[in-house]
Amino acid sequence: ERTIIIPGDEITPSGLALDNEAQKISWTDWVSDKIQRSNFDGTEIEDLITNGLEVPEGITLDVEAQKMYWVDSGTAKVQRANLDGTEIEDLITYPQADLDGIVLDENNKKMYWTEWGAGAALGKVTRANLDGSNEQEVIVIEDAIIKGIALDTKNNKIYWSDCAFDKIQRSNLNGTDIEDVIVTNL
């Protein structure tokens, strides 16, 4: 049975991340341009970041290091802050980019994020160290709209969704051996 814990007229969430230790849900709100969190049951909603965001999308947490990471398409940045929203840092800044998903490989101290191509551009999965250094394009697909991303670090795999080609794909963490997992043809 579905339970609504926060009514849709209060938030417009895009990215979502869980802090199981603190029993908190954190999310980006791409309409009100802020990052918020609440208890798992939806109570005690708090604004974490309310300035400097334009279209925040994906978010992920490094609970051990007490950091949150997110991507913002409007500012074309990959950023991080403390879990309470303090000490915001710009890690990667693009001249222009449509960023969507972000995930951490805590074992290898890397972050991976997606950039979707919106038509004639390139869809990408990019990675960098957690401080933003050593940025590398891992996956580049012409005309792709790469959005969601997940990691299976135990099996050395990246998974991503491609809305342009209606499929879910995967590769090794270094981008080699790309293969289709699901092709929907919708």
Side-chain angles (χ1 to χ4, degrees), residues 19-116:
D19 179 343
N20 289 313
E21 290 179 27
Q23 300 284 289
K24 299 278 188 184
I25 307 167
S26 296
W27 64 89
T28 57
D29 189 316
W30 65 279
V31 172
S32 62
D33 296 327
K34 57 186 169 182
I35 296 176
Q36 297 175 285
R37 75 177 170 192
S38 75
N39 294 327
F40 275 179
D41 65 3
T43 60
E44 298 183 31
I45 295 173
E46 53 185 316
D47 291 341
L48 300 177
I49 300 174
T50 58
N51 295 310
L53 303 175
E54 291 181 26
V55 185
E57 300 206 42
I59 186 170
T60 190
L61 306 178
D62 181 347
V63 175
E64 185 177 316
Q66 293 292 293
K67 295 285 184 185
M68 66 174 146
Y69 293 74
W70 68 92
V71 293
D72 187 319
S73 285
T75 61
K77 292 180 181 179
V78 178
Q79 296 176 284
R80 76 175 170 190
N82 294 331
L83 290 179
D84 64 2
T86 59
E87 298 185 32
I88 298 170
E89 299 176 74
D90 295 346
L91 301 176
I92 307 285
T93 302
Y94 293 97
Q96 179 181 351
D98 292 311
L99 307 168
D100 195 85
I102 186 167
V103 67
L104 301 181
D105 175 354
E106 294 173 25
N107 295 333
N108 294 308
K109 305 293 184 211
K110 300 278 186 192
M111 59 181 165
Y112 291 74
W113 64 93
T114 61
E115 181 180 344
W116 53 279

Side-chain angles (χ1 to χ4, degrees), residues 136-153:
Q136 304 168 311
E137 291 178 350
V138 178
I139 305 293
V140 178
I141 302 172
E142 189 172 341
D143 297 326
I145 300 176
I146 298 176
K147 304 279 271 170
I149 186 168
L151 296 181
D152 174 3
T153 55

